[in-house]
Amino acid sequence: MFTSTGSSGLYKAPLSKGLLLVPSALSLLLALLLPHCQRFFVYDLQAVKDDFQIWRLLCGRIICLDLKDTFCSSLLIYNFRIFERRYGSRKFASFLLGSWVLSALVDFILVEAVWYFFGIAAAGNLPSGFLAPVFALFVPFYCSIPRIQVAQILGPLSITNKTLIYILGLQLFTSGSYIWIVAISGLVLCVPIWMANFFSWTLEPIFSSPEPTAEARIGMGATVDIQRQQRMELLDRQLMLSQFAQVRRQRQQGGMINWNRLFPPLRQRRNINYQDGRRSEQQASPPLEVSEEQVARLMEMGFSRGDALEALRASNNDLNVATNFLLQH
C-alpha cells in the first residue's frame, strides 16, 4: 500500500522528521496538560483583522488543536517524505514555506468571499494547524507519483499504492465545517504550466548569469559538509552494491526485476580463470531494447537517461516497476 513512498523510515528526511515530532508533541501537550493555553493557538482571522493580532497567523497555523487532525496530518507528512528525498531538504522546505505563507492570503480572500456572497462568518471558525501545506503536497503527489495496482475488489474497483493516502486526505478534509477553506487554499497554489513557461521566458534572461569559462574545477564538494555528505552517499552506494551482489550469489535469477542488470557484481581480481570469464562475456545476451517513449516519461519525472535505461532494462520494460524502484532508491 505504501510502495510509492519509498523505503520505510525517515532516512534523508530531517525536515519531515521535525514536522512529525515537534507539532505533534506540542499538540499533545496542549490537549492533555495545558488546555487553558489553547486559546493562544486558535486560528482566528477575525481577531487578526479587527484587533491586529498578527501573531495568530503564526501560532494558529502550526499546531493542530484537534488530535484527529494531528494524527491524519502526521501520517500524510510521513508519506510525503518522498518529495524531500527526491528534491532535497532545502527545496522541500522552500515549497512548504511558500505554500504556508501564500495560503494565509488565500484564506483571507476565501473568508471574505464566503461572507460577501453567502453571509457566513467563517473567519473565527477555521481549523488550526499546519494543514494548507499538507493539502498542497497532494498536487505533486497526484502528478508525479505513479499509480500501481495492489489489489482489485468488486470487479472494476482497484486498490492502488495511493488509495490509503487519498482516504487519509478525505478524512482530514471532512474533519471540520470550514476546513475546506484551508484545503482549497493549499490546492490552488499549484502554478499552471503555461504560467510557469511564461515567467521562465520573461524573467529567466534577466536573472540568469552565464556559466564561468575561466574558472578551475573545484572537484568534490566545495565545503566540508558537502564533501562529507558525498562520501557518505558513496559509501551507502558501495554497501548496497555489495549486499545485492551477495544476494545474487545466494539466489537464482528470477522475479519481476532483473537485479543482475541493475546492480552488476563488483569487479573481481584477475585469476587463472581469466579466459573462462572472457568466453562467458562473449556469449552474453545482447541488451534488451527499451522504448524511447518510456525513457522520455521517466526523464520527465526528473530521472536521468542512464538511470531510466537501466531501470527499464532491469524491469523488462515495465514502466510502473521501474518508476517505483527509482523513487525508492
Side-chain angles (χ1 to χ4, degrees):
M1 191 73 70
F2 291 97
T3 54
S4 69
T5 57
S7 55
S8 61
L10 293 167
Y11 176 67
K12 288 188 177 180
L15 181 60
S16 300
K17 184 177 182 180
L19 292 175
L20 282 174
L21 296 179
V22 177
S24 300
L26 293 176
S27 179
L28 290 173
L29 182 65
L30 290 174
L32 301 178
L33 301 179
L34 301 173
H36 57 280
C37 296
Q38 289 187 352
R39 66 180 186 273
F40 297 109
F41 297 91
V42 175
Y43 186 29
D44 190 352
L45 290 181
Q46 193 66 38
V48 175
K49 179 181 177 181
D50 298 339
D51 302 331
F52 297 100
Q53 297 181 2
I54 308 298
W55 52 271
R56 289 192 180 274
L57 293 175
L58 177 64
C59 298
R61 305 181 70 241
I62 295 179
I63 303 173
C64 293
L65 300 181
D66 191 342
L67 293 181
K68 298 190 300 296
D69 295 346
T70 302
F71 179 74
C72 292
S73 60
S74 298
L75 287 178
L76 290 173
I77 290 174
Y78 176 79
N79 285 279
F80 290 150
R81 73 197 185 282
I82 180 64
F83 296 112
E84 183 176 4
R85 291 175 176 174
R86 181 173 178 180
Y87 301 114
S89 297
R90 291 186 177 181
K91 290 185 178 180
F92 187 65
S94 300
F95 177 84
L96 294 180
L97 180 61
S99 59
W100 185 75
V101 173
L102 294 177
S103 60
L105 177 61
V106 181
D107 286 343
F108 269 108
I109 296 175
L110 291 177
V111 166
E112 293 298 327
V114 169
W115 170 254
Y116 180 80
F117 290 105
F118 304 102
I120 300 176
N125 300 313
L126 295 179
S128 303
F130 195 73
L131 300 178
V134 174
F135 283 107
L137 286 170
F138 272 98
V139 177
F141 180 76
Y142 175 79
C143 297
S144 61
I145 302 299
R147 177 178 175 270
I148 302 175
Q149 182 175 343
V150 178
Q152 192 167 1
I153 57 174
L154 300 177
L157 298 180
S158 61
I159 299 177
T160 68
N161 55 334
K162 303 167 70 173
T163 302
L164 185 57
I165 301 176
Y166 288 136
I167 293 175
L168 285 174
L170 182 62
Q171 171 64 32
L172 186 62
F173 184 81
T174 58
S175 62
S177 300
Y178 297 100
I179 196 173
W180 60 270
I181 295 179
V182 179
I184 294 177
S185 300
L187 293 174
V188 299
L189 294 177
C190 178
V191 179
I193 297 178
W194 62 269
M195 185 180 297
N197 293 333
F198 173 76
F199 283 107
S200 176
W201 176 69
T202 56
L203 298 180
E204 186 175 359
I206 300 176
F207 295 99
S208 62
S209 57
E211 183 179 357
T213 56
E215 185 175 347
R217 293 181 175 269
I218 300 178
M220 208 171 183
T223 64
V224 177
D225 293 336
I226 297 178
Q227 293 178 10
R228 187 182 298 112
Q229 181 179 0
Q230 292 177 346
R231 292 192 184 99
M232 290 300 296
E233 292 178 354
L234 181 61
L235 290 175
D236 290 341
R237 182 180 179 184
Q238 293 176 351
L239 179 62
M240 183 174 59
L241 289 174
S242 63
Q243 290 175 351
F244 277 102
Q246 183 178 1
V247 173
R248 185 191 62 84
R249 290 192 297 266
Q250 295 176 354
R251 294 184 178 181
Q252 294 180 351
Q253 181 177 353
M256 296 183 64
I257 298 180
N258 190 348
W259 299 104
N260 294 329
R261 290 184 178 179
L262 193 59
F263 295 100
L266 298 177
R267 187 181 299 274
Q268 300 177 354
R269 296 180 179 179
R270 300 186 176 215
N271 50 30
I272 58 176
N273 296 325
Y274 176 74
Q275 298 295 333
D276 295 338
R278 291 192 58 183
R279 191 179 301 110
S280 62
E281 290 178 359
Q282 293 175 358
Q283 297 176 356
S285 59
L288 182 66
E289 293 295 333
V290 178
S291 172
E292 288 296 332
E293 181 181 358
Q294 294 180 348
V295 174
R297 292 184 62 182
L298 289 176
M299 293 178 65
E300 289 176 358
M301 297 180 188
F303 304 112
S304 64
R305 178 176 177 83
D307 293 341
L309 289 173
E310 290 296 331
L312 287 171
R313 288 169 182 168
S315 59
N316 294 324
N317 278 327
D318 192 319
L319 181 62
N320 289 333
V321 175
T323 307
N324 190 32
F325 182 82
L326 289 173
L327 288 174
Q328 292 181 10
H329 299 81

